[in-house]
Amino acid sequence: KKSSIIVRSYVLLCIGIRVGEYFCSWAAKLIQIPPWAFKWVGSVSTSPTGTGISLKWIKRNKIPVKEIILVGFLPSFLKKIIYKMRGHKIGKNVSFSIGSVIIGRKVTIGDNSSFGLISVVRGNTIDVGRFVTIGSLSMIDTETIIIGDDSRINENVIVGGIKTPESMLKIGKRVIIMEYSFINPTKPIIIVSV
């Protein structure tokens, strides 16, 4: 009896998934959802025979869970070794807390900088100055990130938005970004101290 309940539950789950896929593809085609609107984006097309609608899923990775698990939970000295093997320039006395990750193509981190618990810095070009502190649970995700010397990004700061080739966050020297701030760098943003 228990096995028949499990089989029935599985069949109902499969039917629900198929109905959900059909509804999503129908709704996406009906209202023409732009591809950047959701984390999971579907491209709608009719099948070659014209009898059905197929939805091809594209995964957009918002939170780099794989990187946080594989690299983020390593000790700081191992992270430095891994980042240097990837070609990143890491200064002296840089500290990475548990869960903090740097993801980029061209990365330069100055001396005595620190990254808080589960902080994510992701971009193509990342240039972090000396004595920079990035607080815990902060996420910086844009094409170009430039942070000047002695700057501080406090806890729970989110920097992100629609990425364009001109997306940039440039923070000058001795600038403090306070807790719970949200910055959208779709267009270039430059923050300097006065």
Side-chain angles (χ1 to χ4, degrees), residues 76-77 79-80 83 89-102 108-121 126-140 145 147-156 175 177:
S76 185
F77 73 93
K79 285 183 198 178
K80 287 187 222 176
Y83 290 145
K89 296 176 184 174
I90 310 291
K92 296 178 183 176
N93 298 325
V94 173
S95 69
F96 295 99
S97 294
I98 294 174
S100 63
V101 292
I102 308 292
T108 305
I109 300 174
D111 298 339
N112 300 305
S113 294
S114 66
F115 297 85
L117 179 75
I118 311 177
S119 60
V120 176
V121 179
I126 301 170
D127 187 4
V128 177
R130 299 179 308 119
F131 297 99
V132 171
T133 302
I134 296 177
S136 52
L137 297 172
S138 293
M139 180 157 184
I140 304 171
I145 302 164
I147 303 174
D149 297 341
D150 298 316
S151 292
R152 186 173 73 212
I153 298 175
N154 286 338
E155 292 78 19
N156 294 314
V175 173
I177 308 290

